Amino acid sequence: MAALIDLHCHSTISDGLLPPEELVAHAAARGVKVLGLTDHDDLGGLAIAREAAKRYGIAFVNGVEISVTWKRRTLHIVGLKVDADNPALKNALAGVRDARDGRAREIAAGLAKVGIADAYEGAKSFAKQSIMTRSHFAQFLVQAGHAKNVKTVFKKYLVKGKPGFVEHQWMSLEEAVTLIKQSGGFAVIAHPGRYDLGFVNMHLLMHEFRGYGGDAIEVVTGSHTPPQYDQFAKIAHRFSLKASQGSDYHGPGLSYMEMGYLPDLPHGCVPVWQDWEEARLLNA
Ligand code: AMP
Ligand code: MN
Ligand code: MN
Ligand code: MN
């Protein structure tokens, strides 16, 4: 049942490998019935994906994954059912995308210092028209022979303390949640198990997020281990937050998890989609 709904994935509009229409075709082939596309900081794939979803008989949910800085850490906040024409949301995300370009140049400068030339151009050749992300740098670095795969290349070059990491100031948590809420959406903390926050900060984050009007946290995601499903189900319950789920699929070879294989939310979770028209078939 649960595998039928996937509320987190990426297309070529951000750092996924499949164009929006191919991503939808892939989801359909995997048996997904309700799909949310959540590209990083960009709403540009939603209209095409929605059209494609109609052809495949899939219910489509607008989404976005917003990069946020909270206590000097980067967090991801997913917005679901956002209005893709909301001017405040569109403007804010355009600002984030501009800043990403400057950040990409800084990443390239860091890599140049350790003898890796032309990384900006190299990453750009993978990003094509889309935003510049560390995933694109990773693909370039693998292609150039600096590591054997994307996973090791991140560890070696692209995380804190490594030559291709730059401290970047993203949006605040409050701004991201507010933008999502004001555009009619549901705000969801993406893959909370990935932030390595510790007990106190994790609870502080949930409390703050709830205070800004946050709706849910991802409980079942490709980034969580099965014990984390239960851990975050409990946290959701404790903070009266709903639960979301998604594969975080980025395309063949770039993902933790395929689409269509998500286990059920643990017992007791309130699904973020509980009152959604799009998920009527699942809620019946
Ligand atoms: P950025 O938003 O530019 O910092 O890029 C972040 C993206 O890089 C994430 O959304 C993931 O797709 C990818 N990523 C981050 N950390 C890793 C990792 N350790 N291994 C593989 N991909 C990663
Ligand atoms: Mn990504
Ligand atoms: Mn993420
Ligand atoms: Mn993601």
Side-chain angles (χ1 to χ4, degrees):
M1 185 66 168
L4 302 180
I5 182 161
D6 193 327
L7 299 175
H8 189 150
C9 63
H10 298 269
S11 76
T12 47
I13 295 296
S14 62
D15 58 349
L17 296 179
L18 303 177
E21 57 274 32
E22 283 178 39
L23 183 70
V24 172
H26 185 74
R30 294 277 165 190
V32 173
K33 299 287 183 218
V34 183
L35 180 70
L37 172 62
T38 54
D39 276 308
H40 297 287
D41 306 312
D42 205 324
L43 306 165
L46 300 178
I48 297 170
R50 180 173 290 281
E51 270 307 304
K54 227 181 263 168
R55 292 199 298 278
Y56 286 99
I58 291 183
F60 185 75
V61 175
N62 278 358
V64 62
E65 182 173 17
I66 303 181
S67 312
V68 156
T69 299
W70 185 77
K71 288 184 171 280
R72 302 193 60 196
R73 288 179 177 83
T74 301
L75 310 180
H76 288 167
I77 304 298
V78 161
L80 297 172
K81 283 172 74 69
V82 291
D83 172 7
D85 296 319
N86 181 273
L89 181 62
K90 275 169 51 178
N91 288 341
L93 294 178
V96 176
R97 293 196 296 275
D98 280 350
R100 270 186 178 277
D101 199 65
R103 170 190 187 242
R105 293 196 186 275
E106 287 180 56
I107 291 175
L111 293 171
K113 280 197 190 135
V114 295
I116 301 172
D118 301 326
Y120 180 89
E121 294 72 18
K124 189 88 196 162
S125 74
F126 286 96
K128 305 207 175 69
Q129 305 301 314
S130 85
I131 57 165
M132 294 280 269
T133 73
R134 283 184 296 157
S135 301
H136 299 117
F137 280 94
Q139 289 167 67
F140 159 71
L141 289 167
V142 170
Q143 185 200 44
H146 297 289
K148 63 175 193 303
N149 59 38
V150 162
K151 221 180 176 65
T152 48
V153 98
F154 261 91
K155 274 200 197 117
K156 234 170 122 180
Y157 291 104
L158 298 171
V159 295
K160 214 174 206 139
K162 302 297 169 175
F165 183 84
V166 297
E167 199 86 44
H168 187 76
Q169 189 68 37
W170 303 102
M171 206 182 278
S172 72
L173 177 65
E174 180 173 18
E175 188 180 2
V177 174
T178 304
L179 283 166
I180 291 166
K181 298 310 298 172
Q182 287 181 348
S183 73
F186 289 71
V188 183
I189 300 178
H191 42 62
R194 249 171 60 181
Y195 304 133
D196 198 19
L197 282 176
F199 183 88
V200 171
N201 276 330
M202 184 61 78
H203 283 67
L204 199 59
L205 169 64
M206 297 297 158
H207 182 75
E208 250 188 62
F209 176 70
R210 191 84 189 91
Y212 298 140
D215 297 280
I217 64 174
E218 286 183 348
V219 170
V220 170
T221 137
S223 302
H224 284 174
T225 61
Q228 284 178 318
Y229 302 158
D230 291 326
Q231 181 194 344
F232 286 101
K234 285 202 187 87
I235 291 181
H237 183 77
R238 185 169 315 155
F239 288 89
S240 302
L241 291 161
K242 292 176 177 158
S244 188
Q245 65 173 45
S247 58
D248 208 354
Y249 185 70
H250 280 71
L254 258 194
S255 286
Y256 307 97
M257 197 185 258
E258 241 308 345
M259 288 182 136
Y261 288 103
L262 294 172
D264 286 337
L265 287 175
H267 189 72
C269 285
V270 180
V272 67
W273 60 84
Q274 109 171 312
D275 297 320
W276 295 0
E277 175 67 18
E278 292 85 345
R280 206 180 37 201
L281 169 150
L282 306 182
N283 293 330

